[in-house]
């Protein structure tokens, strides 16, 4: 599992991904951690296949007892099917996930972890002195869906928005936006169901100050590529399977 | 070692699930015995003095069927909790194996040591589940033995019924049919319960 520090300030953002030992027939995913003085939040901690390499990688940055929070943008297995294992590893942690999906996500096993349901209009996660905003992203692609915005680091963890289907070992960052478009087009057209939801999200996100847009699959967007992505997504017709 | 435990847990699912299936068949047969007892009672009543010896036997068959139904109902509840225990054990075993992988993969990591407590806890939880499973299996085997005892008793009653039926004149055939039906049902119960016991006995001392 590769680890890349994408922000270093009063706290850190670390991206985990491109796991070399991942079975070839499961989709590659990016996991993220926010590390503060005494706490660690894992975002989109991944599928159960990924638990061991992910936990081993996190141990380079935080001890188990300081992994206090998990976040799942939605209910998909590549996002959070490892929940039952985190549940047995972490003695007192919270899972921040859509209220809409609570009774569904509990199928993965959630006995010792406290499920903190995120209401439809969003909320916050406080880690020491860092406050993260939970931005509604419903129907992108899941009916109950949130992204995480860090106003201090100016990072938006955007779940499946901005995702791309890449060859194994792809670079961590978008290097040439134009050539990256084709890697994203099908994913967004097929997985995102609603143009109305897309427009509402873009309007909301354009008001945020974003340096880094960090999706759950594919490469991370930096600087001007963030605006390029929003402009491209704005013109894209989604929900094309019907 | 870990892989073997995993395979064993998977076989447990099959063994425990097969108990519920075998027991539901036992329940059907026990109800049939109860029906046969009611039928026998009616025939014995009509036969009057000719089937005098048969009348107390019908009450006894009915009682035996009722007890078997009650016993199987209680075993089913127990089998369900055994299934839940198997699910828990499976989860604990998977977690323990994954945590072991983490400790190997995190060698050299700054906080690798912090995985020791969850690993030890997972191992203990898994072992507790395994011990509990063995204890519960033993108790379930004892309960199944009680059902076998009932089945054996039913076969003895069936043999007695045949003797009594032979003195019932024109009712001989009807009462013999009742005796046959009880004997057949007792045989089926015996076989089904025996299969449960064989499936479970693998885990008594594993």
């Amino acid at each position: 599992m590769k680890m890349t520090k994408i922000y270093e300030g009063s706290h850190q953002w670390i991206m985990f991904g491109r796991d070399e030992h991942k079975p070839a027939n499961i989709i590659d995913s990016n996991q993220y951690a926010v590390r503060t003085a005494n706490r660690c939040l894992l975002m989109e901690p991944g599928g159960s296949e990924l638990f061991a390499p992910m936990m081993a990688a996190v141990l380079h940055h935080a001890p188990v007892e300081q992994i206090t929070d998990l976040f799942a943008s939605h209910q998909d297995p590549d996002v959070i099917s490892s929940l039952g294992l985190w549940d047995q590893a972490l003695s007192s942690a919270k899972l921040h996930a859509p209220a809409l999906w609570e009774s569904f996500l509990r199928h993965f096993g959630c006995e010792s972890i406290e499920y903190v349901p995120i209401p439809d209009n969003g909320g916050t996660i406080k880690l020491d002195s860092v406050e993260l905003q939970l931005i509604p992203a419903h129907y992108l692609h899941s009916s109950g869906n949130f992204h995480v915005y860090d106003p201090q680091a100016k990072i938006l963890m955007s779940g499946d928005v901005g995702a791309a289907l890449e060859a194994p070992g792809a670079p961590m960052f978008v290097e040439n936006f134009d050539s990256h478009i084709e890697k994203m087009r099908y994913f967004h057209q097929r997985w995102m169901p609603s143009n109305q939801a897309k427009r509402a999200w873009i309007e909301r996100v354009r008001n945020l100050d974003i340096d880094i847009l960090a999706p759950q699959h594919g490469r991370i967007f930096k600087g001007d590529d963030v605006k390029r992505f929003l402009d491209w997504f704005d013109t894209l017709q989604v929900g094309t399977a019907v | 070692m870990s892989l073997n435990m995993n395979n064993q847990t998977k076989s447990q699912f099959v063994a425990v699930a097969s108990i519920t299936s075998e027991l539901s068949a036992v329940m059907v047969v026990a109800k049939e015995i109860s029906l046969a007892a009611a039928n026998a009672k009616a025939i014995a009543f009509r036969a009057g003095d000719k089937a005098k010896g048969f009348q107390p036997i019908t009450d006894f068959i009915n009682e035996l069927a009722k007890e078997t139904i009650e016993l199987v109902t209680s075993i089913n509840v127990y089998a369900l909790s055994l299934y839940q225990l198997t699910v828990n054990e499976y989860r604990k075993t998977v977690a323990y194996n994954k945590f072991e992988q983490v400790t190997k993969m995190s060698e050299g990591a700054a906080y690798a040591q912090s995985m020791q407590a969850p690993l030890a806890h997972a191992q203990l939880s898994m072992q507790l589940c395994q011990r509990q499973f063995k204890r519960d299996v033993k108790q379930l085997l004892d309960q199944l033995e009680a059902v076998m005892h009932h089945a054996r008793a039913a076969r003895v009653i069936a043999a007695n019924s045949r003797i009594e039926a032979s003195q019932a004149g024109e009712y001989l055939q009807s009462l013999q049919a009742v005796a046959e039906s009880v004997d057949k049902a007792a045989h089926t119960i015996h076989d089904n319960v025996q299969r449960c016991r064989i499936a479970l006995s693998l885990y008594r001392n594993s």
Side-chain angles (χ1 to χ4, degrees):
Chain A
M1 179 78 75
K2 287 187 180 156
M3 298 173 273
T4 308
K5 210 169 274 183
I6 59 173
Y7 174 78
E8 174 114 51
S10 66
H11 60 287
Q12 300 171 335
W13 273 71
I14 306 125
M15 181 262 205
F16 304 86
R18 313 294 189 268
D19 181 31
E20 290 165 2
H21 306 291
K22 174 189 77 61
N25 55 1
I26 63 172
I27 190 166
D28 189 39
S29 55
N30 303 332
Q31 294 70 236
Y32 297 92
V34 173
R35 177 75 168 120
T36 61
N38 302 301
R39 292 175 65 177
C40 183
L41 161 73
L42 302 182
M43 283 167 281
E44 320 283 65
S48 51
E49 286 283 350
L50 221 67
F51 171 81
M54 178 59 188
M55 174 65 111
V58 172
L59 292 178
H60 286 271
H61 302 277
V64 175
E65 62 274 14
Q66 288 188 8
I67 305 170
T68 53
D69 298 79
L70 303 177
F71 167 82
S73 63
H74 62 292
Q75 83 291 0
D76 273 356
D78 62 320
V79 171
I80 188 68
S81 67
S82 57
L83 178 60
L85 294 163
W86 294 105
D87 189 60
Q88 293 183 66
L90 309 179
S91 53
S92 58
K94 291 177 180 177
L95 168 67
H96 306 266
L100 196 69
W101 292 118
E102 178 168 356
S103 58
F104 295 71
L105 281 171
R106 285 186 181 279
H107 276 280
F108 289 132
C110 186
E111 285 167 20
S112 66
I113 286 179
E114 180 193 346
Y115 193 109
V116 182
I118 308 169
D120 274 354
N121 60 347
T124 57
I125 299 174
K126 192 128 181 10
L127 296 172
D128 292 323
S129 60
V130 176
E131 188 167 280
L132 304 168
Q133 297 171 12
L134 303 173
I135 309 293
H138 305 311
Y139 303 104
L140 295 173
H141 66 91
S142 169
S143 43
N145 211 126
F146 294 92
H147 296 159
V148 179
Y149 177 61
D150 180 343
Q152 211 174 319
K154 298 181 183 174
I155 298 175
L156 178 69
M157 200 292 289
S158 57
D160 280 319
V161 177
L165 299 171
E166 294 269 12
M172 295 290 190
F173 293 93
V174 173
E175 290 158 354
N176 181 323
F177 184 81
D178 290 338
S179 66
H180 190 62
I181 285 174
E182 286 315 308
K183 297 187 176 82
M184 303 189 288
R185 188 188 302 279
Y186 177 75
F187 187 95
H188 288 80
Q189 285 187 321
R190 185 65 184 85
W191 265 276
M192 304 295 162
S194 161
N195 288 304
Q196 189 188 341
K198 182 198 70 170
R199 279 193 295 274
W201 179 85
I202 290 172
E203 198 176 322
R204 193 190 298 266
V205 165
R206 281 201 198 278
N207 291 324
L208 305 174
D209 188 6
I210 302 170
D211 282 346
I212 289 177
L213 187 129
Q216 195 224 342
H217 305 284
R219 305 187 201 190
I220 296 172
F221 301 81
K222 278 193 303 190
D224 291 342
D225 281 341
V226 175
K227 185 180 178 307
R228 283 190 194 103
F229 171 75
L230 295 177
D231 291 344
W232 170 80
F233 193 33
D234 207 1
T235 59
L236 188 75
Q237 285 295 305
V238 299
T240 54
V242 287
Chain B
M1 180 190 167
S2 303
L3 189 65
N4 286 341
M5 281 195 287
N6 229 338
N7 286 339
Q8 182 175 326
T9 309
K10 285 171 190 166
S11 317
Q12 276 178 213
F13 275 111
V14 178
V16 174
S18 73
I19 293 165
T20 317
S21 151
E22 298 283 3
L23 288 181
S24 68
V26 167
M27 190 68 107
V28 171
V29 174
K31 282 175 184 166
E32 278 171 16
I33 295 181
S34 184
L35 202 64
N39 191 25
K41 195 166 186 157
I43 297 167
F45 181 75
R46 279 204 303 277
D49 282 348
K50 288 175 187 166
K52 209 172 178 184
F54 207 93
Q55 282 171 5
I57 291 177
T58 60
D59 290 336
F60 200 61
I61 296 171
N62 191 38
E63 195 62 28
L64 202 64
K66 262 173 64 186
E67 279 176 15
T68 305
I69 290 167
E70 280 167 17
L71 203 53
V72 170
T73 306
S74 117
I75 293 175
N76 259 330
V77 173
Y78 209 79
L80 203 64
S81 82
L82 201 65
Y83 181 78
Q84 191 55 51
L85 195 61
T86 305
V87 172
N88 283 343
E89 189 190 329
Y90 173 71
R91 284 184 171 164
K92 306 281 181 200
T93 306
V94 169
Y96 174 69
N97 290 340
K98 292 278 185 191
F99 292 2
E100 263 194 330
Q101 274 182 42
V102 173
T103 56
K104 282 177 194 149
M105 294 172 90
S106 63
E107 271 177 25
Y111 301 103
Q113 197 57 30
S114 69
M115 198 59 208
Q116 288 307 311
L119 180 69
H121 185 258
Q123 186 175 27
L124 186 66
S125 302
M126 180 183 70
Q127 287 168 344
L128 285 175
C129 268
Q130 286 166 348
R131 277 185 220 132
Q132 180 71 41
F133 185 82
K134 278 180 200 166
R135 275 198 297 271
D136 286 6
V137 161
K138 194 184 170 304
Q139 284 187 30
L140 194 53
L141 281 168
D142 290 346
Q143 286 181 307
L144 289 172
E145 174 56 37
V147 179
M148 295 276 277
H149 184 76
H150 277 66
R152 282 192 289 268
R155 296 201 71 189
V156 172
I157 292 169
N160 287 341
S161 302
R162 276 196 206 97
I163 298 165
E164 291 299 333
S166 66
Q167 292 159 23
E170 70 267 35
Y171 295 98
L172 181 141
Q173 275 190 335
S174 306
L175 291 176
Q176 261 185 351
V178 169
E180 284 304 319
S181 136
V182 170
D183 190 49
K184 198 174 155 200
H187 212 277
T188 308
I189 291 175
H190 184 278
D191 287 354
N192 284 32
V193 173
Q194 182 66 359
R195 278 199 292 274
C196 289
R197 294 177 78 221
I198 290 167
L200 274 184
S201 58
L202 289 171
Y203 300 99
R204 183 173 44 190
N205 300 312
S206 58

